[in-house]
Amino acid sequence: MAYEVGDVVDGTVTGIQPYGAFVQLDQTTQGLIHISECRSAFIHHVRDELQVGQKITVMVLDIDQYSGKISLSRRTLIDSDDEVLEYTHTNPHLNKRHHHYWTNQHVDLGFKTIANQKPNMVSEALSRLASDKHK
């Protein structure tokens, strides 16, 4: 695949659905901009923001390694005033090698939470076992 996470590419909107817009990146590659990635502000309908045939610049958010599906974002390239940001390697808002995770992976809890709950979990399990024995 010719694209990597963080690439900023031009494409053409080829289809609009209630959940997002399909963008043709080249002759064989298409990606999806989820409705939440169209812009920073809430939008009711994708068609209010994008039209079929519109040329747009998008950032590759994710590439599913199994299906090859590409997730795109327009929101990452638009600032709070809805101006398209110029992509440069020095722009802190556009880090080319940033991988977008939909988790709280930046929080380093590890297994501390489970370890803290272990005594309660063990005593609860033992009390359940004891009550099952008496039945």
Side-chain angles (χ1 to χ4, degrees):
M1 184 162 291
Y3 301 100
E4 294 181 24
V5 172
D7 284 350
V8 175
V9 295
D10 294 321
T12 305
V13 177
T14 57
I16 294 178
Q17 295 294 323
Y19 51 84
F22 290 95
V23 177
Q24 193 73 36
L25 302 177
D26 60 35
Q27 289 190 7
T28 60
T29 310
Q30 182 169 278
L32 174 71
I33 303 173
H34 187 267
I35 189 170
S36 64
E37 291 296 332
C38 286
R39 70 183 300 171
S40 295
F42 175 79
I43 60 172
H44 289 281
H45 305 287
V46 177
R47 67 180 177 274
D48 295 339
E49 189 68 24
L50 300 168
Q51 278 70 45
V52 173
Q54 181 179 350
K55 306 273 188 220
I56 60 172
T57 303
V58 293
M59 179 180 275
V60 177
L61 284 184
D62 195 17
I63 302 171
D64 186 292
Q65 62 182 347
Y66 300 108
S67 67
K69 292 181 180 179
I70 299 176
S71 298
L72 303 170
S73 175
R74 185 168 171 258
R75 179 175 64 103
T76 57
L77 301 176
I78 299 176
D79 70 9
S80 60
D81 297 323
D82 286 343
E83 291 184 26
V84 176
L85 297 172
E86 186 73 27
Y87 177 76
T88 64
H89 290 287
T90 59
N91 189 332
H93 300 291
L94 301 174
N95 181 354
K96 184 169 173 55
R97 293 296 162 227
H98 172 75
H99 193 292
H100 187 84
Y101 293 98
W102 293 102
T103 66
N104 61 351
Q105 65 129 33
H106 60 281
V107 179
D108 186 23
L109 292 177
F111 289 100
K112 288 185 224 171
T113 308
I114 295 173
N116 293 342
Q117 292 299 318
K118 182 181 174 188
N120 294 341
M121 293 165 62
V122 169
S123 81
E124 182 181 327
L126 290 173
S127 68
R128 283 187 193 166
L129 286 172
S131 69
D132 287 346
K133 276 187 174 179
H134 296 324
K135 288 184 180 182

